[in-house]
């Protein structure tokens, strides 16, 4: 049987790649895609989710949750690397829908309807899950597992010197989720940055006349140009597809039980993820953290799964 999942995301080029993969992989049943602010503001994030799903036209349409603004969000997006809409050069018609349901409510309803069956895959800031923790803690306890893309253990940050972007955007929510009783698996920058894709990836994408291929061909060339021009990098990471692999191909990863917290108040350390690795640990273990990945196999799997999505569209 396929695993029921909810994708909580802030699309974002790498989020969109992850959606392309998940919506056509028979190993997962995407119950919902819930938008959150992060790479782009809340309204744009919701529009992007609608646009991606409408463009890909998957065989089974998931529910879509509406993003709500984050109260303490920094004045920052990530348009330099993702474009003004978050999706590179992918252009789409307006995809507004009436009577949209907030993302945290969608997650809660599905958790109650499918107790202990749903894996929540958080690819953006943890705003929605933290709101659910406050509004309906019983629903959080009904989630089978939570996968979190974000944080750093020993690597430098990508939003500040010490903080990863998802944690930096909404550290208060991240701290609440880290402290919650959910079963959590963290896929940090240490692992997602370890898998770099060169420009030869563009030659391995699905046919541009397929729906998935046309989306990927309009987003990924933009990403390569932006990373080269803004950061001087020849290789790009695909953070969220790698995090999704932890659901699809868990054997590619090695894991360690660690005690983690998130800094919420530091002037220079906002969103930093801290882990108690002392010989006499004082913090309780609260999550498993990916510590390594089979890089070559991970790259091959991402390419294979993108091609498979193209074949289905």
């Amino acid at each position: 049987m396929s695993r029921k999942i909810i994708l909580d995301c802030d699309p974002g080029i790498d989020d969109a790649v992850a959606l392309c993969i998940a919506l056509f992989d028979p190993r997962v049943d995407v119950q919902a895609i819930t938008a959150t602010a992060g790479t782009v503001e809340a309204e744009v994030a919701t529009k992007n989710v609608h646009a991606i799903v409408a463009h890909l036209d998957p065989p089974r349409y998931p529910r879509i949750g509406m993003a709500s603004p984050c109260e303490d969000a920094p004045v920052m997006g990530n348009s330099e690397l993702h474009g003004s809409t978050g999706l590179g050069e992918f252009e789409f018609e307006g995809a507004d829908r009436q009577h949209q349901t907030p993302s945290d409510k969608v997650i809660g309803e599905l958790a109650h309807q499918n107790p202990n069956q749903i894996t929540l895959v958080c690819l953006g800031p943890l705003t929605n899950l933290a709101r659910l923790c406050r509004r309906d803690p019983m629903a959080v306890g009904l989630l089978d597992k939570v996968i979190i893309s974000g944080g750093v253990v020993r690597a430098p940050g990508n939003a500040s010197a010490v903080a990863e972007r998802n944690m930096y955007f909404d550290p208060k929510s991240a701290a609440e989720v880290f402290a919650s009783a959910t079963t959590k698996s963290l896929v940090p920058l240490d692992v997602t940055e370890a898998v770099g894709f060169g420009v030869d990836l563009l030659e391995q994408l699905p046919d541009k006349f397929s729906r998935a291929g046309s989306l990927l061909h309009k987003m990924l060339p933009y990403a390569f140009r932006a990373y080269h021009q803004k950061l001087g990098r020849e290789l790009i990471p695909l953070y969220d597809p790698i995090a999704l692999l932890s659901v699809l191909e868990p054997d590619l990863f090695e894991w360690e039980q660690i005690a983690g917290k998130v800094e919420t108040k530091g002037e220079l350390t906002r969103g930093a993820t801290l882990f108690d690795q002392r010989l006499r640990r004082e913090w309780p273990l609260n999550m498993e953290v990916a510590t390594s990945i089979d890089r070559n196999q991970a790259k091959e799997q991402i390419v294979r799964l993108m091609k498979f999505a193209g074949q289905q569209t």
Side-chain angles (χ1 to χ4, degrees):
M1 292 180 60
S2 57
R3 176 184 291 195
K4 294 179 180 179
I5 67 171
I6 296 172
L7 295 167
D8 189 59
C9 59
D10 59 335
I13 291 173
D14 57 324
D15 303 74
V17 174
L19 297 186
C20 272
I21 291 172
L23 285 169
F24 298 98
D25 193 304
R27 292 170 292 181
V28 290
D29 176 5
V30 182
Q31 296 279 303
I33 302 172
T34 50
T36 186
T39 298
V40 291
E41 62 185 22
E43 182 179 356
V44 178
T46 305
K47 288 181 178 180
N48 284 358
V49 171
H50 280 293
I52 292 166
V53 174
H55 176 81
L56 292 173
D57 191 23
R60 182 182 182 279
Y61 269 56
R63 290 186 64 181
I64 294 178
M66 178 184 67
S68 303
C70 171
E71 293 81 2
D72 187 37
V75 183
M76 63 174 287
N78 204 5
S79 60
E80 285 191 346
L81 298 181
H82 293 264
S84 59
T85 67
L87 299 178
E89 295 177 347
F90 175 62
E91 298 180 2
F92 52 86
E93 300 293 332
D96 291 341
R97 296 187 180 184
Q98 300 298 318
H99 309 298
Q100 297 183 99
T101 305
S103 289
D104 62 296
K105 188 173 181 181
V106 170
I107 298 170
E109 289 176 354
L110 287 170
H112 281 289
Q113 293 166 12
N114 304 273
N116 305 310
Q117 297 179 51
I118 289 182
T119 296
L120 176 63
V121 185
C122 298
L123 304 177
L126 299 175
T127 310
N128 291 329
L129 183 52
R131 284 178 177 156
L132 184 62
C133 288
R134 295 190 292 267
R135 185 179 63 81
D136 187 359
M138 183 178 294
V140 176
L142 294 175
L143 293 170
D144 179 54
K145 190 175 186 180
V146 175
I147 306 289
I148 300 170
S149 175
V152 293
V153 181
R154 298 179 181 88
N158 61 356
S160 72
V162 295
E164 180 272 335
R165 185 169 293 273
N166 289 341
M167 303 296 161
Y168 183 88
F169 186 84
D170 189 355
K172 180 180 177 182
S173 289
E176 289 182 38
V177 170
F178 272 41
S180 71
T182 57
T183 302
K184 298 174 286 292
S185 298
L186 185 75
V187 187
L189 279 186
D190 310 62
V191 167
T192 54
E193 279 277 10
V195 185
F197 293 85
V199 72
D200 61 307
L201 175 65
L202 301 180
E203 300 173 359
Q204 303 176 70
L205 296 180
D207 190 299
K208 64 177 61 178
F209 296 107
S210 67
R211 295 190 301 277
S214 65
L215 175 63
L216 295 167
H217 278 280
K218 291 174 182 176
M219 294 189 305
L220 289 172
Y222 184 97
F224 277 105
R225 290 196 302 272
Y227 270 84
H228 178 70
Q229 294 170 2
K230 305 299 182 181
L231 301 177
R233 293 180 57 167
E234 300 299 327
L235 302 179
I236 68 168
L238 291 176
Y239 304 119
D240 296 337
I242 296 299
L244 179 62
L245 271 189
S246 71
V247 178
L248 302 174
E249 299 284 349
D251 291 343
L252 297 181
F253 297 77
E254 292 186 1
W255 302 86
E256 181 180 342
Q257 292 289 330
I258 303 184
K261 296 184 180 182
V262 180
E263 176 58 64
T264 60
K265 300 178 181 178
E267 180 180 349
L268 299 177
T269 56
R270 171 192 174 106
T273 44
L274 308 173
F275 299 91
D276 190 347
Q277 301 181 71
R278 294 171 287 186
L279 290 176
R280 293 187 176 182
R281 173 178 46 83
E282 295 182 9
W283 302 352
L285 297 172
N286 60 347
M287 69 185 73
E288 64 173 2
V289 178
T291 55
S292 66
I293 186 172
D294 185 327
R295 302 181 189 186
N296 293 332
Q297 280 294 315
K299 291 175 68 172
E300 290 178 10
Q301 288 295 329
I302 293 296
V303 171
R304 184 182 67 81
L305 292 169
M306 288 193 292
K307 286 183 175 179
F308 183 79
Q311 292 167 1
Q312 307 308 305
T313 59

